[in-house]
């Protein structure tokens, strides 16, 4: 029989206790009564790209499937409107709120007001500033991707393909949003150890196709020596590809492209050799979000971060993925 050292024994007891002890802040979160169907508020950020539309559809499909009522709002790209949208959901006394916070800081009041009103909230796909509000304390949990890892994976594939040498233009997502912050940080952390990988210009294209096109055009005119593009989402990538082609350049040859999401257009661009890599960010949140609500209503203790697993798409697996693309 194995005998345990004192340190091991303390560790084992701690782990066993940890499995059963519910943290006090978690216990103080608004409760959700166990019901057969719920009235769920879903506060979307905007509807200007295929990722958003796929996410909304996934939520609506899941609500229909379960016979739940979905109260849907679209903030149309305005964090201020999104705060107002959450307030109206609180006034309508929804059972639970699913919020995709457009930016990290401006949505903090919405999180705190839901908590104060006794309505449990889940953050889906984007996060808020973790120094101002926390999962398992101010909201129940965050459900979404590991954006830092996405940025690192994009950097890893790009670095290998260009032999560790590139002059990179970066198109950032919406300023102040968690995916933009973390995708920037993850990419930077990876290339830090590869001195030949140099970001020569970096600016926000607001996660939008036409903005991405305009910003890329301006940056590329100022930096014609660029050899690569790192774009925080596929819509901006498609905009940048249009700008490259308008300038007589060949995407995939003159500029090597790394992108994130997994839209149909970007998947086709992988197949066509225009894009090197698309790191997946899955928008189909309905099943995971609604399952989490059910578990919370059943009194289960949820982890503060429920992280989706994302795949990496290249020319090799793009065609196989295409039927799932949106
Ligand atoms: O990559 C982008 C969308 O928040 C993870 O937002 C999401 C990002 C996604 O507009 O296309």
């Amino acid at each position: 029989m194995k005998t345990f050292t004192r340190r091991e024994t303390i560790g084992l007891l701690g782990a066993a206790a940890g499995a059963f002890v519910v943290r006090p802040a978690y216990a103080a979160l608004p409760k959700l009564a166990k019901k057969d169907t719920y009235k769920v508020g879903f506060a979307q950020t905007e509807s200007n790209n295929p990722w958003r539309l796929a996410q909304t559809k996934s939520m609506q499909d899941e609500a229909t499937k379960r016979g739940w009522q979905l109260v849907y709002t679209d903030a149309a790209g305005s964090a201020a409107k999104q705060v107002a949208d959450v307030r109206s959901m609180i006034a309508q006394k929804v059972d639970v709120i699913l919020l995709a916070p457009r930016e990290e800081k401006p949505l903090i009041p919405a999180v705190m007001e839901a908590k104060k009103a006794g309505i449990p909230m889940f953050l889906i796909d984007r996060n808020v500033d973790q120094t101002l509000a926390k999962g398992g304390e101010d909201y129940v949990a965050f459900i979404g991707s590991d954006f830092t890892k996405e940025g690192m994976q994009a950097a890893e594939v790009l670095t290998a393909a260009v032999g560790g040498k590139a002059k990179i233009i970066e198109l950032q997502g919406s300023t102040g949003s968690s995916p933009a912050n973390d995708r920037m940080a993850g990419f930077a952390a990876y290339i830090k150890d590869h001195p030949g990988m140099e970001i020569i210009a970096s600016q926000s294209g607001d996660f939008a196709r036409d903005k991405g096109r305009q910003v890329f055009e301006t940056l590329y005119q100022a930096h014609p020596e660029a050899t690569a593009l790192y774009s925080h989402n596929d819509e901006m990538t498609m905009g940048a590809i249009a700008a490259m082609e308008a300038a007589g350049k060949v995407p995939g040859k003159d500029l090597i492209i790394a992108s994130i999401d997994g839209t149909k257009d970007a998947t086709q661009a992988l197949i066509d050799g225009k894009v090197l890599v698309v790191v997946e960010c899955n928008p189909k949140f309905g099943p995971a979000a609604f399952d989490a609500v059910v578990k919370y209503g059943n009194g289960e203790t949820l982890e503060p971060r429920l992280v989706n697993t994302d795949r990496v798409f290249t020319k090799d697996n793009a065609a196989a993925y295409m039927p799932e693309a949106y």
Side-chain angles (χ1 to χ4, degrees), residues 46 49 51-52 125-126 147 179 183 207 232-233 261 281:
E46 55 219 351
N49 81 44
W51 196 99
R52 294 281 141 206
D125 109 62
R126 291 188 188 175
F147 304 126
R183 286 171 185 170
F207 279 134
H232 290 189
N233 86 343
D261 270 356
C281 182

Side-chain angles (χ1 to χ4, degrees), residues 202-217:
S202 179
Q203 204 177 305
S204 174
D206 205 16
F207 279 134
R209 187 182 289 224
D210 202 52
K211 190 80 205 285
R213 184 188 60 75
Q214 290 168 33
V215 171
F216 181 83
E217 187 180 66

Side-chain angles (χ1 to χ4, degrees), residues 173-318:
S174 301
T175 305
S177 72
S178 65
N181 290 342
D182 297 352
R183 286 171 185 170
M184 187 154 61
F187 191 90
Y190 185 89
I191 63 166
K192 197 167 57 70
D193 300 328
H194 300 268
M197 299 293 285
E198 198 194 334
I199 295 177
I200 53 171
S202 179
Q203 204 177 305
S204 174
D206 205 16
F207 279 134
R209 187 182 289 224
D210 202 52
K211 190 80 205 285
R213 184 188 60 75
Q214 290 168 33
V215 171
F216 181 83
E217 187 180 66
T218 307
L219 295 180
Y220 192 41
Q221 272 165 9
H223 299 277
E225 72 279 19
T227 60
L229 166 69
Y230 167 45
S231 163
H232 290 189
N233 86 343
D234 287 347
E235 278 296 276
M236 295 189 296
T237 299
M238 296 316 295
I241 286 176
M244 287 174 203
E245 290 176 338
K249 299 292 171 183
V250 181
K253 286 210 170 65
D254 295 320
L255 290 121
I256 309 300
I257 304 174
S259 185
I260 298 175
D261 270 356
T263 64
K264 262 203 183 82
D265 287 350
T267 307
Q268 188 58 49
L270 279 175
I271 294 169
D272 297 341
K274 294 182 180 181
V275 172
L276 170 74
V277 59
V278 172
V279 179
E280 181 182 30
C281 182
N282 195 330
K284 295 169 187 165
F285 277 84
F290 283 50
D291 279 350
V293 170
V294 170
K295 285 185 182 160
Y296 192 63
N298 288 346
E300 286 181 38
T301 306
L302 300 177
E303 293 294 327
R305 264 175 75 81
L306 305 167
V307 180
N308 298 338
T309 38
D310 292 321
R311 296 165 284 180
V312 175
F313 303 126
T314 61
K315 208 175 176 42
D316 298 335
N317 57 358

